[in-house]
Amino acid sequence: MGDKNNGHPGAAGRAATADHPASVRNVVLVGHSGSGKTTLVEALALTAGAVNRAGRVEDGTSVSDYDEIEHRQQRSVQLSLVPLEWDGFKINLLDTPGYADFVGELRAGLRAADAALFVVSAADGPETMAGATRMVWEECAAVGMPRAIVITHLEAARADFEDMTRSCAEVFGGDDPDAVLPLYLPLRGEQAPDGHAPVTGLIGLLSQRLFDYASGERKESEPDADQATLIEEARNRLIEGIIAESEDETLMDRYLGGEEIDVKTLIDDLEGAVARGVFHPVLAAAPAAEDARQGIGTVELLELITGGFPTPLERAAPDVRGRDGKELDIRACDPQGPLVAEVVKTASDPYVGRVSLVRVFSGTLRPDETVHVSGHGLSDHGHETRALHESDERIGALSAPFGKQQRTLTHCIAGDLACVAKLSRAETGDTLSAKEAPLLMSPWEMPDPLLPLAIQAHSKADEDKLSQGLSRLVAEDPTMRLEQNQNTHQVVLWCLGEAHADVALERLRSRYGVQVDVVPHKVSLRETFAGKSAGRGRHVKQSGGHGQYAICEIEVEPLPGGSGIEFVDKVVGGAVPRQFIPSVEKGVRAQATKGVAAGYPLIDVRVTLLDGKAHSVDSSDAAFQTAGALALREAAADARIHLLEPVAEVEVLVGDDYVGTVMSDLSGRRGRVVGTEQAAGGRTLIRAEVPEIEIGRYAVDLRSLSHGTARFSRAYARHEPMPAQLSERIREQAQDVP
């Protein structure tokens, strides 16, 4: 790396294609919001000759930006694919949003990629890497995904490449900081009057060559004596780091014995260590000048991607099962094998309809062929989020996206990615296979949406379109969950955060023409009796002809949590005829559903029918139903009624520095901390029980409390009595409702 040719740039305006998996590189760009991922993609596209000028997210000309919402919000909100050609290789760059609310798009990018490029801004402090970016690094490490780091924004006045490199080694290197080392050092030009010296090029530590970008194009030369001295210490450390990860066990002995290891051997070992995911090189990048053809560090990055990152052939075959549920042995990345592809992203285009971004893991996908679509029945903590589904569909055209363009492809081989049109039933995460041999891939893990957004249609016209718009929205985004709450009668869209919710509302409006209003989210409260009580229901009316006559006497007593409503018949002597006892129970249960104090369902009580009276002519099923309901209401009037609130079991994984802050906040939410335990990476797992009414916005608040470094999960535990003061306020609010 650094000794190779500049390659052969791809031609702007045509689709990059691949005919063998060995010539494909799938790379996902990961980094916090504002780190410069999209700008870097633009620079790589310019250097590779895919565009004639770099675009911008701000004015809607970015090659990795084709969503109008991104233009309005001035940030990336979705995964986008930018295919390039360089030195005979097809490079699929997967640009992911940096904001935590769109981690689902990031996970999709990780699923489709074979290597990750972590983008870090030199203008920011190390704390920007300590949160979500570090967690993603650990996810990649868990599956052995190769990773490299590129430090951007070197042009910023406060940029310090050396300090940021050390921070990367501390945050990402863990127990082995020498596995995170720079391959190049930035070369600065003359100091400006303000004291800032701009970066004009790079010095290769292995090749000991100078790469000058000052003219707008990369020029290679010998470093002078001062520059050679500057890199000596960093070069020696890099060589030792590469040799330490070499598969050649004799190399270290030879090096320590004073032998000069040739550069080609070092580069080969470096590329092998990167591909195995055991060494993580740090590179530098800075934007090109207005009229420049190449941004600083872009050629070096392209060389690393093509030479150091693995081919799709090196990725293990996915877990695949047949229709009978048995696991099948699929040869990794065989273009001639059975078709196995996965929908990693789904979007709606106003002109061509639904467009699916697909990664092919086996076989070859071709336009106009019929494929079998298999989808998982997904659930989240017991909530069904998506039904199991499968169908045969004829796919439309295959294309490669490039900004707002869709460039036609003739085929898509194993290891490659493509956009597929007209898969009307396919959803994100679905498997595409041959219709003669349906297959299903194991799903990838998605974060739970934990921020509830209660919505209602703005008008009658919107109400007619709301259901279809919501179903499409959820089909496209598996990190969004739709709930139709039968207890609160609310439509709730569960999101990952406020920005995620804003994008969902904007897509409903702009893409599906549905205007909705956001309303306060209601928690499913319950009621129960605090002690024994008795009630008499008397329903006697006479108004000519048949009257209505039913009297029943009941006793109500509380039961342990989770018991529901228990009805017991203890009538003796036929005071209530046998045929009307089910009517009394029906009336009691109907009233229990409506509530007896504040309009919330009554639970966990035993209702015992003790006595009653009937009339030979005027008694009826309807009369005894009414009497049963009246009896329960009277019993409630003379009793103390508890309002029950749902309590959630909450687990918070947080850095040790924020444990005290988080625990204090949980206590302020009426939470009870039930335990803590030390977790890896200087973090603590806090277990607590917290009333759900107190954690409606916890997804937002926790992010603020921990500066984005914590995450949490929640699961329903039980209902328990609310504090009297809060309970009384809710009763008063219920009485004020007309």
Side-chain angles (χ1 to χ4, degrees), residues 235-240 243 250-261 266:
R235 184 175 192 269
N236 290 337
R237 189 179 177 196
L238 173 62
I239 291 173
E240 290 172 7
I243 291 174
T250 68
L251 202 58
M252 181 61 79
D253 293 335
R254 290 159 52 195
Y255 175 73
L256 294 176
E259 180 180 337
E260 183 74 23
I261 309 299
L266 290 172

Side-chain angles (χ1 to χ4, degrees), residues 319-341:
D319 294 332
V320 178
R321 299 183 183 276
R323 178 167 276 175
D324 56 3
K326 292 183 179 179
E327 190 168 339
L328 302 179
D329 185 15
I330 300 294
R331 181 181 169 189
C333 206
D334 181 6
Q336 306 304 320
L339 178 63
V340 180

Side-chain angles (χ1 to χ4, degrees), residues 373-551:
V373 179
S374 303
H376 299 274
L378 302 179
S379 64
D380 165 30
H381 293 301
H383 299 283
E384 190 69 24
T385 61
R386 189 176 300 177
L388 184 67
H389 58 277
E390 54 181 330
S391 62
D392 289 339
E393 287 199 71
R394 185 177 180 183
I395 65 175
L398 297 183
S399 60
F402 204 83
K404 294 180 176 65
Q405 304 174 31
Q406 290 288 337
R407 298 173 176 176
T408 302
L409 295 174
T410 57
H411 61 279
C412 182
I413 63 168
D416 203 358
L417 292 100
C419 285
V420 181
K422 297 183 180 179
L423 282 176
S424 59
R425 297 182 185 87
E427 301 177 357
T428 301
D430 285 1
T431 304
L432 307 184
S433 55
K435 65 176 183 177
E436 303 84 10
L439 301 172
L440 186 65
M441 289 180 60
S442 298
W444 74 87
E445 183 181 345
M446 280 292 190
D448 298 333
L450 297 169
L451 181 69
L453 185 73
I455 58 175
Q456 62 186 24
H458 183 70
S459 66
K460 180 64 172 69
D462 294 311
E463 192 173 332
D464 295 337
K465 297 182 289 184
L466 180 59
S467 178
Q468 185 179 25
L470 288 173
S471 63
R472 288 183 177 178
L473 202 64
V474 173
E476 293 175 7
D477 187 351
T479 62
M480 201 171 286
R481 174 164 59 85
L482 179 63
E483 176 191 7
Q484 310 238 7
N485 195 300
Q486 300 302 314
N487 297 312
T488 63
H489 308 292
Q490 284 189 318
V491 175
V492 182
L493 203 57
W494 288 84
C495 305
L496 293 173
E498 287 182 307
H500 194 208
D502 289 344
V503 168
L505 295 176
E506 177 68 11
R507 282 185 175 151
L508 278 175
R509 185 191 65 78
S510 61
R511 188 176 291 176
Y512 303 117
V514 182
Q515 188 77 33
V516 298
D517 298 323
V518 178
V519 296
H521 176 245
K522 297 178 182 178
V523 170
S524 300
L525 302 181
R526 298 288 187 270
E527 300 173 358
T528 195
F529 279 65
K532 279 189 177 183
S533 183
R536 186 171 188 265
R538 185 175 185 275
H539 183 61
V540 178
K541 289 187 177 181
Q542 188 69 47
S543 57
H546 282 299
Q548 299 180 50
Y549 190 97
I551 299 174

Side-chain angles (χ1 to χ4, degrees), residues 70-412:
E70 293 183 318
H71 304 163
R72 286 190 286 272
Q73 296 208 359
Q74 301 290 287
R75 64 180 172 193
S76 298
V77 301
Q78 66 176 6
L79 172 72
S80 56
L81 168 64
V82 179
L84 309 174
E85 284 184 328
W86 178 261
D87 200 18
F89 294 90
K90 179 182 181 182
I91 303 172
N92 289 315
L93 296 176
L94 293 148
D95 187 12
T96 64
Y99 199 66
D101 281 12
F102 307 107
V103 66
E105 302 287 322
L106 169 61
R107 295 279 178 87
L110 292 173
R111 181 74 163 191
D114 303 312
L117 192 61
F118 281 71
V119 183
V120 178
S121 172
D124 294 328
E127 65 275 1
T128 58
M129 298 181 290
T133 306
R134 177 178 173 178
M135 292 180 184
V136 177
W137 181 276
E138 291 171 355
E139 286 183 29
C140 293
V143 296
M145 177 177 280
R147 286 146 284 153
I149 301 161
V150 57
I151 297 178
T152 59
H153 293 161
L154 294 176
E155 74 283 1
R158 62 182 185 277
D160 191 319
F161 178 81
E162 289 75 18
D163 277 355
M164 185 53 71
T165 300
R166 283 191 291 270
S167 296
C168 288
E170 292 171 4
V171 174
F172 299 136
D175 297 332
D176 187 12
D178 285 339
V180 180
L181 294 171
L183 296 185
Y184 302 87
L185 295 182
L187 177 69
R188 295 192 177 272
E190 295 184 6
Q191 195 170 37
D194 62 0
H196 177 62
V199 175
T200 58
L202 302 172
I203 303 177
L205 294 181
L206 290 183
S207 63
Q208 301 183 84
R209 303 287 291 172
L210 189 152
F211 305 102
D212 189 354
Y213 285 84
S215 66
E217 291 193 13
R218 184 181 190 249
K219 294 182 179 179
E220 184 176 341
S221 63
E222 289 277 354
D224 59 33
D226 291 341
Q227 292 165 340
T229 303
L230 176 69
I231 69 171
E232 184 176 356
E233 181 181 347
R235 184 175 192 269
N236 290 337
R237 189 179 177 196
L238 173 62
I239 291 173
E240 290 172 7
I242 294 171
I243 291 174
E245 302 296 344
S246 174
E247 293 184 307
D248 183 351
E249 297 179 358
T250 68
L251 202 58
M252 181 61 79
D253 293 335
R254 290 159 52 195
Y255 175 73
L256 294 176
E259 180 180 337
E260 183 74 23
I261 309 299
D262 68 275
V263 172
K264 184 180 184 308
T265 298
L266 290 172
I267 290 177
D268 289 344
D269 275 5
L270 168 64
E271 292 177 347
V274 172
R276 295 195 310 277
V278 295
F279 187 84
H280 316 292
V282 181
L283 294 94
E290 188 68 31
D291 57 347
R293 288 295 309 165
Q294 295 175 338
I296 296 172
T298 53
V299 172
E300 289 75 16
L301 268 174
L302 291 168
E303 288 179 352
L304 171 69
I305 290 170
T306 54
F309 281 168
T311 74
L313 291 165
E314 297 169 70
R315 180 168 178 170
D319 294 332
V320 178
R321 299 183 183 276
R323 178 167 276 175
D324 56 3
K326 292 183 179 179
E327 190 168 339
L328 302 179
D329 185 15
I330 300 294
R331 181 181 169 189
C333 206
D334 181 6
Q336 306 304 320
L339 178 63
V340 180
E342 186 172 40
V343 178
V344 295
K345 177 178 173 56
T346 311
S348 293
D349 186 278
Y351 303 105
V352 300
R354 183 173 292 189
V355 177
S356 303
L357 177 60
V358 172
R359 161 79 190 246
V360 181
F361 289 92
S362 174
T364 300
L365 196 62
R366 292 182 172 84
D368 300 320
E369 69 178 349
T370 300
V371 298
H372 187 79
V373 179
S374 303
H376 299 274
L378 302 179
S379 64
D380 165 30
H381 293 301
H383 299 283
E384 190 69 24
T385 61
R386 189 176 300 177
L388 184 67
H389 58 277
E390 54 181 330
S391 62
D392 289 339
E393 287 199 71
R394 185 177 180 183
I395 65 175
L398 297 183
S399 60
F402 204 83
K404 294 180 176 65
Q405 304 174 31
Q406 290 288 337
R407 298 173 176 176
T408 302
L409 295 174
T410 57
H411 61 279
C412 182

